Coordinates of all heavy atoms in Angstrom, one line a residue:
M10 N -14.5 25.0 1.6 CA -13.8 24.4 0.5 C -14.1 22.8 0.4 O -14.3 22.2 1.6 CB -12.3 24.6 0.6 CG -11.6 24.1 -0.6 SD -9.8 24.2 -0.4 CE -9.5 25.8 -0.6
E11 N -14.2 22.4 -0.7 CA -14.5 21.0 -0.8 C -13.4 20.1 -0.2 O -12.2 20.4 -0.1 CB -14.5 20.6 -2.4 CG -15.0 19.2 -2.7 CD -14.7 18.9 -4.1 OE1 -14.5 19.9 -5.0 OE2 -14.6 17.7 -4.4
N12 N -13.6 18.9 0.3 CA -12.7 18.0 0.9 C -11.8 17.3 -0.1 O -12.1 16.4 -0.6 CB -13.4 17.0 1.8 CG -12.2 16.2 2.5 OD1 -11.0 16.5 2.4 ND2 -12.8 15.4 3.5
W13 N -10.7 17.9 -0.3 CA -9.7 17.4 -1.3 C -9.1 16.0 -0.9 O -8.9 15.3 -1.8 CB -8.6 18.4 -1.3 CG -8.6 19.4 -2.4 CD1 -9.6 20.4 -2.6 CD2 -7.6 19.6 -3.5 NE1 -9.3 21.1 -3.7 CE2 -8.1 20.6 -4.3 CE3 -6.4 19.0 -3.8 CZ2 -7.4 21.1 -5.4 CZ3 -5.7 19.5 -4.9 CH2 -6.3 20.5 -5.6
I14 N -8.9 15.9 0.4 CA -8.2 14.7 0.8 C -9.1 13.5 0.4 O -8.5 12.4 0.0 CB -8.0 14.8 2.3 CG1 -7.2 16.1 2.6 CG2 -7.3 13.5 2.8 CD1 -7.4 16.5 4.0
A15 N -10.3 13.6 0.5 CA -11.2 12.3 0.1 C -11.0 12.0 -1.4 O -11.5 10.8 -1.7 CB -12.7 12.8 0.4
R16 N -10.4 12.7 -2.2 CA -10.3 12.4 -3.6 C -9.2 11.4 -3.9 O -9.0 10.9 -4.9 CB -9.9 13.7 -4.4 CG -11.0 14.7 -4.5 CD -10.4 15.8 -5.4 NE -11.4 16.9 -5.4 CZ -11.1 18.0 -5.9 NH1 -9.9 18.2 -6.5 NH2 -12.0 19.0 -5.9
F17 N -8.4 11.3 -2.7 CA -7.2 10.3 -2.9 C -7.1 9.2 -1.9 O -7.4 9.4 -0.8 CB -5.9 11.3 -2.7 CG -5.8 12.3 -3.7 CD1 -6.1 13.6 -3.3 CD2 -5.4 12.2 -5.0 CE1 -6.1 14.6 -4.2 CE2 -5.3 13.1 -5.9 CZ -5.6 14.3 -5.5
M18 N -6.6 8.1 -2.4 CA -6.6 6.9 -1.5 C -5.1 7.0 -1.0 O -4.1 7.2 -1.9 CB -6.6 5.7 -2.5 CG -7.0 4.4 -1.8 SD -7.7 3.3 -3.1 CE -6.2 3.1 -4.0
V19 N -4.8 6.7 0.2 CA -3.5 6.7 0.7 C -2.8 5.5 0.4 O -3.3 4.3 0.6 CB -3.6 6.9 2.2 CG1 -2.2 6.9 2.9 CG2 -4.3 8.1 2.6
E20 N -1.7 5.6 -0.3 CA -0.9 4.4 -0.7 C 0.5 4.3 0.0 O 0.5 4.7 1.2 CB -0.6 4.4 -2.2 CG -1.8 4.0 -3.1 CD -1.6 3.9 -4.4 OE1 -0.5 4.2 -5.0 OE2 -2.5 3.3 -5.1
R21 N 1.5 4.0 -0.6 CA 2.8 3.7 0.1 C 3.4 4.9 0.8 O 3.2 6.0 0.3 CB 3.8 3.0 -0.7 CG 4.4 3.8 -1.8 CD 5.4 3.1 -2.6 NE 6.2 4.2 -3.3 CZ 5.9 4.9 -4.4 NH1 4.7 4.7 -4.8 NH2 6.7 5.8 -4.8
K22 N 4.1 4.6 1.9 CA 4.8 5.8 2.5 C 6.0 6.1 1.8 O 6.8 5.4 1.3 CB 5.1 5.2 3.9 CG 5.6 6.3 4.9 CD 5.5 5.7 6.3 CE 6.5 6.3 7.2 NZ 6.4 5.8 8.6
L23 N 6.1 7.5 1.7 CA 7.3 8.0 1.0 C 8.4 8.3 1.9 O 9.6 8.3 1.6 CB 7.0 9.4 0.2 CG 6.1 9.1 -1.1 CD1 5.6 10.5 -1.6 CD2 7.0 8.4 -2.1
G24 N 8.1 8.7 3.2 CA 9.1 9.1 4.1 C 8.5 9.8 5.4 O 7.3 10.0 5.4
K25 N 9.4 10.0 6.3 CA 8.9 10.7 7.4 C 9.8 11.7 7.9 O 11.2 11.5 7.8 CB 8.4 9.8 8.6 CG 9.6 9.3 9.5 CD 8.9 8.2 10.4 CE 9.0 8.5 11.9 NZ 10.2 8.1 12.5
G26 N 9.4 12.8 8.6 CA 10.4 13.9 9.0 C 10.2 14.0 10.4 O 9.6 13.2 11.1
G27 N 10.6 15.2 11.0 CA 10.6 15.4 12.4 C 9.1 15.6 12.8 O 8.8 15.4 14.0
F28 N 8.2 16.1 11.9 CA 6.8 16.4 12.3 C 5.8 15.6 11.7 O 4.6 15.6 12.2 CB 6.6 18.0 11.9 CG 7.5 18.8 12.7 CD1 8.6 19.3 12.2 CD2 7.1 19.3 14.0 CE1 9.6 20.1 12.8 CE2 8.0 20.1 14.7 CZ 9.2 20.5 14.1
G29 N 6.0 14.9 10.6 CA 4.9 14.3 9.9 C 5.4 13.2 9.1 O 6.6 12.9 9.0
Q30 N 4.4 12.5 8.4 CA 4.7 11.4 7.4 C 4.1 11.7 6.2 O 3.0 12.3 6.1 CB 4.0 10.2 8.1 CG 4.5 9.8 9.5 CD 4.2 8.4 9.9 OE1 4.5 7.5 9.2 NE2 3.4 8.4 11.0
V31 N 4.8 11.4 5.1 CA 4.3 11.7 3.7 C 4.0 10.4 3.0 O 4.8 9.4 3.0 CB 5.5 12.4 3.0 CG1 5.0 12.8 1.7 CG2 5.7 13.7 3.8
F32 N 2.9 10.3 2.4 CA 2.4 9.2 1.6 C 2.1 9.5 0.2 O 1.7 10.7 -0.1 CB 1.1 8.6 2.2 CG 1.3 8.0 3.6 CD1 1.3 8.8 4.8 CD2 1.5 6.6 3.8 CE1 1.5 8.3 6.0 CE2 1.7 6.1 5.0 CZ 1.7 6.9 6.1
V33 N 2.1 8.5 -0.7 CA 1.6 8.7 -2.0 C 0.0 8.7 -1.9 O -0.6 7.9 -1.2 CB 2.0 7.6 -3.0 CG1 1.2 7.7 -4.4 CG2 3.4 7.6 -3.2
G34 N -0.6 9.6 -2.6 CA -2.1 9.7 -2.7 C -2.4 9.5 -4.1 O -1.9 10.1 -5.0
R35 N -3.4 8.4 -4.4 CA -3.8 8.1 -5.7 C -5.2 8.5 -5.9 O -6.0 8.2 -5.1 CB -3.5 6.6 -6.0 CG -3.9 6.2 -7.4 CD -3.4 5.0 -7.8 NE -1.9 4.9 -7.7 CZ -1.0 5.6 -8.4 NH1 -1.3 6.2 -9.5 NH2 0.3 5.5 -8.1
R36 N -5.4 9.2 -6.9 CA -6.8 9.7 -7.2 C -7.8 8.6 -7.3 O -7.5 7.5 -8.0 CB -6.7 10.4 -8.6 CG -7.9 10.9 -9.1 CD -8.0 12.4 -8.8 NE -9.4 12.8 -9.0 CZ -10.0 14.0 -9.0 NH1 -9.1 14.9 -8.7 NH2 -11.1 14.2 -9.2
V37 N -8.9 8.6 -6.6 CA -9.9 7.5 -6.5 C -10.6 7.4 -7.9 O -10.8 6.3 -8.4 CB -10.9 7.7 -5.4 CG1 -11.9 6.7 -5.5 CG2 -10.1 7.8 -4.1
N38 N -11.1 8.5 -8.4 CA -11.7 8.5 -9.8 C -11.5 9.8 -10.4 O -11.3 10.9 -9.7 CB -13.2 8.1 -9.7 CG -13.9 8.9 -8.7 OD1 -13.8 10.1 -8.6 ND2 -14.8 8.3 -8.0
G39 N -11.7 9.8 -11.6 CA -11.5 11.2 -12.4 C -10.0 11.4 -12.6 O -9.1 10.5 -12.3
G40 N -9.6 12.6 -12.8 CA -8.2 13.1 -13.0 C -7.7 12.7 -14.4 O -8.4 11.9 -15.1
N41 N -6.6 13.0 -14.7 CA -6.0 12.5 -15.9 C -4.5 12.6 -15.8 O -3.9 13.2 -15.0 CB -6.4 13.4 -17.2 CG -6.0 14.8 -17.1 OD1 -4.9 15.1 -17.5 ND2 -6.8 15.7 -16.7
E42 N -3.9 11.7 -16.8 CA -2.4 11.5 -16.5 C -1.5 12.8 -16.6 O -0.6 12.8 -16.0 CB -1.9 10.6 -17.7 CG -2.3 9.2 -17.5 CD -1.8 8.4 -16.2 OE1 -0.9 9.0 -15.6 OE2 -2.5 7.6 -15.7
R43 N -2.0 13.7 -17.4 CA -1.2 15.0 -17.4 C -1.7 16.1 -16.4 O -1.3 17.1 -16.5 CB -1.2 15.6 -18.8 CG -0.2 14.9 -19.6 CD -0.1 15.4 -21.1 NE -0.1 14.5 -22.0 CZ -0.5 14.5 -23.3 NH1 -0.9 15.7 -23.8 NH2 -0.4 13.6 -24.2
G44 N -2.8 15.7 -15.7 CA -3.3 16.7 -14.8 C -2.5 17.1 -13.7 O -1.5 16.3 -13.3
T45 N -2.7 18.3 -13.1 CA -1.9 18.7 -12.0 C -3.0 19.2 -11.0 O -4.1 19.4 -11.3 CB -1.0 19.9 -12.4 OG1 -1.8 21.0 -12.9 CG2 0.1 19.6 -13.4
G46 N -2.6 19.4 -9.7 CA -3.4 19.8 -8.7 C -4.5 18.8 -8.5 O -4.3 17.7 -8.4
S47 N -5.8 19.4 -8.5 CA -7.0 18.6 -8.2 C -7.2 17.6 -9.2 O -7.9 16.5 -9.1 CB -8.1 19.4 -8.1 OG -8.4 20.0 -9.4
A48 N -6.6 17.7 -10.5 CA -6.7 16.8 -11.6 C -5.6 15.6 -11.6 O -5.7 14.8 -12.4 CB -6.8 17.4 -12.9
A49 N -4.6 15.8 -10.8 CA -3.5 14.9 -10.8 C -3.9 13.5 -10.3 O -4.8 13.3 -9.5 CB -2.3 15.4 -9.8
M50 N -3.2 12.5 -10.9 CA -3.5 11.1 -10.6 C -2.8 10.8 -9.3 O -3.2 9.8 -8.5 CB -3.1 10.1 -11.7 CG -3.8 10.4 -13.0 SD -5.5 10.1 -12.9 CE -5.6 8.4 -12.6
E51 N -1.7 11.3 -9.1 CA -0.7 11.0 -8.0 C -0.3 12.3 -7.3 O 0.1 13.3 -8.0 CB 0.4 10.3 -8.5 CG 1.1 9.3 -7.6 CD 2.2 8.5 -8.3 OE1 3.1 9.2 -8.8 OE2 2.2 7.3 -8.2
V52 N -0.4 12.3 -6.0 CA 0.0 13.5 -5.3 C 0.9 13.0 -4.0 O 1.0 11.8 -3.8 CB -1.1 14.4 -4.7 CG1 -1.9 15.0 -5.9 CG2 -2.0 13.6 -3.8
A53 N 1.5 13.9 -3.4 CA 2.1 13.6 -2.1 C 1.2 14.1 -1.0 O 0.7 15.3 -1.1 CB 3.5 14.2 -1.9
L54 N 0.8 13.3 0.0 CA 0.1 13.8 1.2 C 0.8 13.7 2.4 O 1.5 12.7 2.7 CB -1.1 12.7 1.4 CG -2.0 12.4 0.2 CD1 -2.9 11.2 0.6 CD2 -2.9 13.6 -0.1
K55 N 0.9 14.9 3.0 CA 1.7 15.0 4.4 C 0.7 15.1 5.5 O -0.1 16.0 5.5 CB 2.6 16.1 4.3 CG 3.4 16.4 5.6 CD 4.6 17.2 5.4 CE 5.4 17.3 6.8 NZ 6.6 18.1 6.6
F56 N 0.8 14.2 6.4 CA 0.0 14.2 7.6 C 0.8 14.6 8.8 O 1.9 14.0 9.1 CB -0.5 12.8 7.8 CG -1.5 12.2 6.9 CD1 -1.0 11.6 5.7 CD2 -2.9 12.5 7.0 CE1 -1.9 11.1 4.7 CE2 -3.7 11.9 6.0 CZ -3.3 11.3 4.9
E57 N 0.3 15.5 9.6 CA 0.9 15.8 10.9 C -0.1 15.7 11.9 O -1.2 16.3 11.9 CB 1.4 17.3 10.9 CG 2.7 17.6 10.2 CD 3.2 19.0 10.3 OE1 3.3 19.4 11.4 OE2 3.3 19.6 9.3
H58 N 0.2 14.8 12.9 CA -0.7 14.6 14.1 C -0.8 15.8 14.9 O 0.3 16.5 15.2 CB -0.4 13.4 14.9 CG -1.6 13.1 15.8 ND1 -1.8 13.5 16.9 CD2 -2.6 12.1 15.6 CE1 -2.9 13.0 17.5 NE2 -3.3 12.1 16.6
R59 N -2.0 16.3 15.4 CA -2.1 17.6 16.0 C -1.4 17.5 17.4 O -1.0 18.6 17.9 CB -3.5 18.1 16.3 CG -3.8 19.2 15.2 CD -5.2 19.6 15.4 NE -6.1 19.0 14.4 CZ -7.3 19.0 14.5 NH1 -8.0 19.5 15.6 NH2 -8.0 18.4 13.5
N60 N -1.2 16.4 18.0 CA -0.6 16.3 19.3 C 0.9 16.1 19.2 O 1.5 15.8 20.2 CB -1.3 15.2 20.2 CG -2.7 15.4 20.4 OD1 -3.1 16.6 20.2 ND2 -3.4 14.4 20.6
N61 N 1.5 16.1 17.9 CA 2.8 15.9 17.8 C 3.7 16.9 18.7 O 3.3 18.0 18.9 CB 3.3 16.3 16.4 CG 3.5 15.0 15.5 OD1 3.3 14.0 16.0 ND2 3.9 15.2 14.4
K62 N 4.8 16.4 19.1 CA 5.7 17.3 19.9 C 6.1 18.4 18.9 O 6.3 18.3 17.8 CB 6.9 16.6 20.4 CG 7.9 16.1 19.5 CD 9.1 15.5 20.1 CE 10.0 14.8 19.2 NZ 10.0 14.7 17.8
G63 N 6.1 19.7 19.5 CA 6.5 20.8 18.7 C 5.2 21.4 17.9 O 5.4 22.5 17.3
C64 N 4.1 20.8 18.0 CA 3.0 21.4 17.4 C 2.2 22.1 18.4 O 1.9 21.5 19.4 CB 2.1 20.4 16.7 SG 2.8 19.5 15.3
N65 N 1.8 23.3 18.1 CA 1.0 24.0 19.0 C -0.5 24.0 18.5 O -0.8 23.1 17.7 CB 1.5 25.5 19.3 CG 1.8 26.1 17.9 OD1 1.2 25.9 17.0 ND2 2.8 26.9 18.0
D66 N -1.3 24.9 18.9 CA -2.8 24.8 18.6 C -3.0 25.3 17.2 O -3.9 24.7 16.6 CB -3.6 25.7 19.6 CG -3.7 25.0 20.8 OD1 -3.5 23.8 20.9 OD2 -4.2 25.6 21.8
G67 N -2.2 26.1 16.7 CA -2.4 26.7 15.3 C -2.1 25.7 14.3 O -1.5 24.7 14.5
P68 N -2.3 26.2 13.0 CA -2.0 25.3 11.8 C -0.4 25.4 11.7 O 0.3 26.2 12.2 CB -2.5 26.1 10.6 CG -3.0 27.3 11.1 CD -3.2 27.3 12.6
P69 N 0.2 24.3 11.2 CA 1.7 24.3 11.1 C 2.3 25.4 10.5 O 1.8 26.0 9.5 CB 2.0 23.0 10.2 CG 0.7 22.2 10.3 CD -0.5 23.1 10.6
Y70 N 3.4 25.9 11.0 CA 4.1 27.0 10.5 C 4.5 26.8 9.1 O 4.5 27.7 8.2 CB 5.3 27.5 11.3 CG 6.2 28.5 10.8 CD1 5.6 29.8 10.8 CD2 7.5 28.3 10.4 CE1 6.5 30.8 10.2 CE2 8.3 29.3 10.0 CZ 7.7 30.6 9.9 OH 8.4 31.6 9.3
E71 N 4.8 25.5 8.8 CA 5.2 25.1 7.4 C 4.2 25.7 6.3 O 4.5 25.9 5.2 CB 5.4 23.7 7.4 CG 6.0 23.1 6.0 CD 6.2 21.6 6.0 OE1 5.3 20.9 6.8 OE2 7.0 21.2 5.3
W72 N 2.9 25.6 6.7 CA 1.8 26.1 5.8 C 2.1 27.5 5.4 O 2.0 27.8 4.1 CB 0.4 26.0 6.4 CG -0.1 24.6 6.7 CD1 0.7 23.5 6.5 CD2 -1.4 24.2 7.0 NE1 -0.1 22.4 6.8 CE2 -1.3 22.8 7.1 CE3 -2.5 25.0 7.3 CZ2 -2.6 22.1 7.4 CZ3 -3.6 24.3 7.7 CH2 -3.7 22.9 7.8
Q73 N 2.5 28.4 6.3 CA 2.7 29.8 6.0 C 3.9 29.9 5.1 O 4.0 30.7 4.1 CB 3.1 30.5 7.2 CG 2.0 30.9 8.1 CD 2.5 31.7 9.4 OE1 3.3 32.6 9.2 NE2 2.2 31.2 10.5
V74 N 5.0 29.0 5.3 CA 6.1 29.0 4.4 C 5.8 28.6 3.0 O 6.1 29.3 2.1 CB 7.2 28.2 5.0 CG1 8.5 28.0 4.1 CG2 7.7 28.6 6.4
Y75 N 4.9 27.6 2.9 CA 4.6 27.2 1.6 C 3.6 28.3 0.9 O 3.8 28.4 -0.4 CB 3.9 25.8 1.6 CG 4.8 24.7 1.6 CD1 4.9 23.9 2.7 CD2 5.6 24.4 0.4 CE1 5.8 22.8 2.6 CE2 6.5 23.4 0.3 CZ 6.6 22.6 1.5 OH 7.5 21.6 1.5
N76 N 2.8 29.0 1.7 CA 2.0 30.1 1.0 C 3.0 31.1 0.4 O 2.7 31.6 -0.7 CB 1.2 30.8 2.1 CG -0.1 30.1 2.5 OD1 -0.4 29.1 1.8 ND2 -0.5 30.3 3.7
A77 N 4.1 31.3 1.1 CA 5.1 32.4 0.6 C 5.9 31.8 -0.5 O 6.1 32.5 -1.5 CB 5.8 32.8 1.8
L78 N 6.3 30.5 -0.5 CA 7.4 30.0 -1.3 C 6.9 29.0 -2.3 O 7.6 28.8 -3.4 CB 8.6 29.4 -0.6 CG 9.3 30.3 0.4 CD1 10.3 29.3 1.1 CD2 10.0 31.4 -0.3
G79 N 5.7 28.5 -2.2 CA 5.3 27.2 -2.9 C 5.2 27.6 -4.4 O 4.8 28.6 -4.8
G80 N 5.7 26.7 -5.2 CA 5.7 27.0 -6.6 C 6.9 27.6 -7.1 O 7.3 27.5 -8.4
S81 N 7.8 28.1 -6.2 CA 9.2 28.7 -6.6 C 10.0 27.5 -7.2 O 9.7 26.4 -6.8 CB 9.8 29.4 -5.6 OG 9.0 30.3 -4.9
H82 N 11.0 27.8 -7.9 CA 11.8 26.8 -8.4 C 12.3 25.9 -7.4 O 13.0 26.3 -6.4 CB 13.0 27.3 -9.3 CG 13.8 26.3 -10.0 ND1 13.3 25.6 -11.0 CD2 15.0 25.8 -9.6 CE1 14.2 24.8 -11.4 NE2 15.3 24.8 -10.5
G83 N 12.1 24.6 -7.5 CA 12.7 23.7 -6.4 C 11.7 23.4 -5.1 O 12.0 22.7 -4.3
V84 N 10.7 24.2 -5.0 CA 9.8 24.1 -3.9 C 8.4 23.5 -4.4 O 7.8 24.1 -5.2 CB 9.5 25.5 -3.2 CG1 8.6 25.5 -2.0 CG2 10.9 26.2 -2.9
P85 N 8.0 22.4 -3.6 CA 6.7 21.8 -4.1 C 5.6 22.8 -3.9 O 5.6 23.7 -3.1 CB 6.5 20.7 -3.1 CG 7.8 20.5 -2.4 CD 8.6 21.8 -2.5
K86 N 4.6 22.7 -4.9 CA 3.4 23.6 -4.7 C 2.3 22.8 -3.9 O 2.1 21.7 -4.2 CB 2.9 23.8 -6.2 CG 1.7 24.7 -6.2 CD 1.4 25.1 -7.6 CE 0.2 26.0 -7.5 NZ -0.4 26.1 -8.8
V87 N 1.9 23.5 -3.0 CA 0.8 22.9 -2.1 C -0.5 23.3 -2.7 O -0.9 24.4 -3.0 CB 1.0 23.3 -0.6 CG1 -0.2 22.9 0.2 CG2 2.3 22.9 0.0
H88 N -1.3 22.2 -2.9 CA -2.6 22.5 -3.5 C -3.8 22.6 -2.6 O -4.7 23.2 -2.9 CB -3.0 21.3 -4.5 CG -1.9 21.2 -5.6 ND1 -1.9 21.9 -6.7 CD2 -0.9 20.3 -5.7 CE1 -0.8 21.7 -7.5 NE2 -0.3 20.6 -6.8
Y89 N -3.6 22.0 -1.5 CA -4.6 22.1 -0.4 C -4.0 21.9 1.0 O -3.1 21.1 1.1 CB -5.7 21.0 -0.7 CG -6.7 20.7 0.3 CD1 -8.0 21.4 0.3 CD2 -6.5 19.8 1.4 CE1 -8.9 21.2 1.3 CE2 -7.3 19.7 2.5 CZ -8.6 20.4 2.4 OH -9.5 20.2 3.4
K90 N -4.6 22.6 1.9 CA -4.2 22.3 3.4 C -5.5 22.3 4.2 O -6.4 23.1 3.9 CB -3.4 23.6 3.8 CG -2.2 24.1 2.9 CD -1.5 25.2 3.6 CE -0.7 25.9 2.8 NZ -1.5 26.8 1.7
G91 N -5.6 21.4 5.0 CA -6.8 21.3 5.8 C -6.6 20.3 6.9 O -5.7 19.5 7.1
K92 N -7.8 20.1 7.7 CA -7.8 19.2 8.8 C -8.6 17.9 8.5 O -9.6 18.1 7.8 CB -8.3 19.9 10.0 CG -7.5 21.0 10.5 CD -8.0 21.6 11.8 CE -7.1 22.8 12.3 NZ -5.7 22.5 12.3
Q93 N -8.2 16.8 8.9 CA -8.9 15.6 8.6 C -8.7 14.8 10.0 O -7.6 14.4 10.3 CB -8.2 14.9 7.5 CG -8.8 13.5 7.2 CD -10.0 13.8 6.3 OE1 -10.4 14.8 5.9 NE2 -10.6 12.6 5.9
G94 N -9.9 14.7 10.7 CA -9.7 14.0 12.1 C -8.7 14.8 12.9 O -8.7 16.1 13.1
D95 N -7.7 14.0 13.4 CA -6.7 14.6 14.3 C -5.5 15.0 13.5 O -4.5 15.4 14.2 CB -6.3 13.6 15.4 CG -7.3 13.4 16.4 OD1 -8.2 14.3 16.5 OD2 -7.4 12.3 17.1
Y96 N -5.5 15.0 12.2 CA -4.3 15.4 11.4 C -4.5 16.7 10.6 O -5.7 17.0 10.1 CB -4.1 14.3 10.4 CG -3.6 13.0 11.1 CD1 -4.5 12.1 11.6 CD2 -2.2 12.8 11.3 CE1 -4.1 10.9 12.2 CE2 -1.8 11.5 12.0 CZ -2.7 10.7 12.4 OH -2.3 9.6 13.0
D97 N -3.5 17.4 10.6 CA -3.3 18.5 9.6 C -2.8 17.8 8.3 O -1.7 17.2 8.5 CB -2.3 19.6 10.1 CG -2.9 20.3 11.3 OD1 -4.1 20.8 11.3 OD2 -2.2 20.5 12.3
V98 N -3.4 18.1 7.2 CA -2.9 17.5 6.0 C -2.6 18.6 4.9 O -3.3 19.4 4.7 CB -4.1 16.6 5.4 CG1 -3.6 15.8 4.2 CG2 -4.6 15.6 6.6
M99 N -1.5 18.2 4.2 CA -1.2 19.1 2.9 C -1.3 18.0 1.9 O -0.7 17.0 1.8 CB 0.3 19.6 3.1 CG 0.4 20.8 3.8 SD 2.0 21.6 3.4 CE 3.2 20.5 3.8
V100 N -1.8 18.6 0.8 CA -1.8 17.8 -0.5 C -0.8 18.4 -1.5 O -0.9 19.8 -1.8 CB -3.2 17.8 -1.2 CG1 -3.0 17.1 -2.6 CG2 -4.2 17.1 -0.4
Ligands
ATP205 N1 6.3 16.1 -2.3 C1 7.0 14.9 -2.0 N2 7.4 14.0 -2.9 C2 8.0 12.9 -2.6 N3 8.5 12.7 -1.4 C3 8.3 13.5 -0.5 C4 7.6 14.7 -0.6 N4 7.6 15.5 0.4 C5 8.3 14.6 1.4 N5 8.7 13.5 0.8 C6 9.5 12.5 1.5 O1 9.1 12.4 2.9 C7 10.1 12.7 3.8 C8 9.5 13.5 4.9 O2 9.1 14.7 4.5 P1 9.0 15.9 5.6 O3 8.5 17.1 4.9 O4 8.1 15.4 6.6 O5 10.3 16.1 6.4 P2 11.8 16.6 6.2 O6 11.7 17.9 5.6 O7 12.5 15.5 5.5 O8 12.2 16.7 7.7 P3 11.8 17.7 8.8 O9 10.4 17.3 9.3 O10 12.8 17.4 9.9 O11 11.9 19.1 8.3 C9 11.2 13.4 2.9 O12 12.4 13.4 3.5 C10 11.0 12.8 1.5 O13 11.7 11.6 1.6

């Protein structure tokens, strides 16, 4: 799959939780104001370091949960999940 993460510049930090940190990602080029997913101008990027306490070798369990629930009312839709260096990243 194409590297989605490279489409976005990491901007300000939105917050942090027990496992990762969330930043605003701004589209580097292309996209449009009403676009969603890969065409969105602004997304949330969640980075989890692979050596975080509580992280084992596999992909974060949260990924499975978003596969099942993502897009339901009140649950963010995950557009991309992948590895970037030492981080597991969700867009
Ligand atoms: N899609 C998003 N849009 C805007 N802000 C977000 C988004 N996702 C997360 N945040 C912000 O980043 C913070 C950290 O999110 P994260 O998912 O890591 O942790 P959490 O659910 O708050 O805590 P925990 O890791 O303990 O479950 C959130 O509390 C929220 O303030």
Side-chain angles (χ1 to χ4, degrees):
M10 187 191 276
E11 191 196 338
N12 185 359
W13 264 58
I14 301 156
R16 295 179 184 174
F17 300 99
M18 202 164 62
V19 179
E20 288 193 342
R21 71 178 199 286
K22 188 166 162 178
L23 289 169
K25 84 187 237 275
F28 297 94
Q30 304 193 57
V31 182
F32 294 82
V33 172
R35 182 161 307 282
R36 181 92 195 191
V37 177
N38 50 45
N41 65 77
E42 287 302 333
R43 282 187 222 156
T45 58
S47 65
M50 299 303 289
E51 204 176 56
V52 295
L54 301 172
K55 179 167 178 173
F56 293 89
E57 279 185 58
H58 196 278
R59 254 184 262 165
N60 298 338
N61 258 0
K62 64 175 175 2
C64 294
N65 45 32
D66 283 343
Y70 177 61
E71 189 179 28
W72 288 11
Q73 285 177 50
V74 175
Y75 275 114
N76 283 343
L78 299 180
S81 308
H82 186 71
V84 181
K86 184 169 178 202
V87 175
H88 301 284
Y89 172 89
K90 312 179 194 74
K92 293 189 186 305
Q93 179 85 357
D95 288 337
Y96 291 86
D97 291 314
V98 185
M99 277 198 304
V100 178

